[in-house]
Amino acid sequence: MNYWLVKSEPSEFSFADLTREKRTLWTGVRNFQARNFLREMAQGDQVLFYHSNCNPPLVAGLAVVTKAAGPDPSQFDRNAKYYDSRSTEEKPLWFSPEIGYQRALKNVTLEQLKNCTALKGLSLLQKGSRLSVHKLSQEHFEVIIKLAK
DNA sequence: GCCAACGTTGGC
DNA sequence: GCCAACGTTGGC
C-alpha cells in the first residue's frame, strides 16, 4: 500500500466538502510529476488531505483512494478551466483517481510538521516544493497520524 | 500583496 | 537544445 498527501485550497475544495460529498474525482492536476503519482494510486491507498494557500496551512483529514485513476474528464471540456487541447479520448494527458472521505483528523499545521524532527526529508517540506501530490513513506505517514492525536 | 522557486513556452 | 520570458504556486 502507498501513502500520499494531496493539496487543495480550502476555498476551492476543502476537507469539509469531501466530508459532505463522501467521494470526489481528483480533477484539474496539470503537472506531469503529480500526474504520475495520481496514476500510481491504487484503491485503498491512504491520502492525507492538506489545505494550502490558507492561514494556517495544515493537514485537515484522512482520505482514501476509492478508485484508481481514469482519464480526467475536465481535459476534454472546452468550457472547463482545465481544458487541454492536446488531449484526445484515445490519448488523454491527465488522470483523476477517485478520493473518498475516511475520517477527520485533529489539524496538524505546517508549522508542526516543520518542527517534527521525525519528518526530516518529507518532500512537502523541501524548499521550493510546489507539487500538489506527494508520496510519503509509511513511517512519515504514521508520524503525521500520531501528531493528529 | 509580495516574492522565491519552479514549470512551461517558444524563439532562435 | 538553450534559455529568456512568463505564469503559477503557496508560504509569509
Side-chain angles (χ1 to χ4, degrees):
Chain A
M1 150 154 13
N2 280 314
Y3 300 89
W4 309 95
L5 180 146
V6 297
K7 294 181 186 174
S8 184
E9 300 191 14
S11 58
E12 299 291 321
F13 189 84
S14 69
F15 190 69
D17 293 325
L18 182 67
T19 304
R20 196 177 320 110
E21 296 179 19
K22 302 297 181 208
R23 292 182 178 204
T24 192
L25 263 188
W26 207 253
T27 61
V29 172
R30 294 294 180 265
N31 169 285
F32 288 103
Q33 203 179 337
R35 192 262 330 248
N36 294 343
F37 281 152
L38 292 181
R39 284 202 297 204
E40 216 184 304
M41 288 184 179
Q43 195 171 340
D45 282 1
Q46 300 292 103
V47 181
L48 293 169
F49 196 108
Y50 178 85
H51 283 175
S52 66
N53 228 330
C54 55
N55 192 15
L58 48 79
V59 176
L62 185 62
V64 60
V65 176
T66 46
K67 205 173 164 196
D72 179 344
S74 69
Q75 70 195 309
F76 305 123
D77 180 356
R78 279 183 180 279
N79 300 315
K81 181 180 171 189
Y82 294 110
Y83 173 68
D84 192 328
S85 60
R86 300 172 298 176
S87 291
T88 62
E89 302 273 354
E90 297 74 33
K91 278 203 151 186
L93 270 179
W94 308 112
F95 292 83
S96 301
E98 187 188 69
I99 303 284
Y101 169 84
Q102 178 112 331
R103 65 184 167 90
L105 293 178
K106 185 160 89 65
N107 290 342
V108 182
T109 64
L110 177 61
E111 192 183 7
Q112 283 177 275
L113 297 177
K114 284 180 174 174
N115 289 336
C116 179
T117 51
L119 292 176
K120 204 164 176 288
L122 188 71
S123 59
L124 178 78
L125 302 179
Q126 306 290 304
K127 188 178 180 185
S129 160
R130 300 186 321 181
L131 262 193
S132 63
V133 184
H134 292 263
K135 196 174 189 174
L136 285 83
S137 67
Q138 182 177 357
E139 291 73 24
H140 283 165
F141 174 82
E142 284 169 0
V143 168
I144 295 171
I145 293 295
K146 280 208 187 86
L147 286 176
K149 282 184 177 150

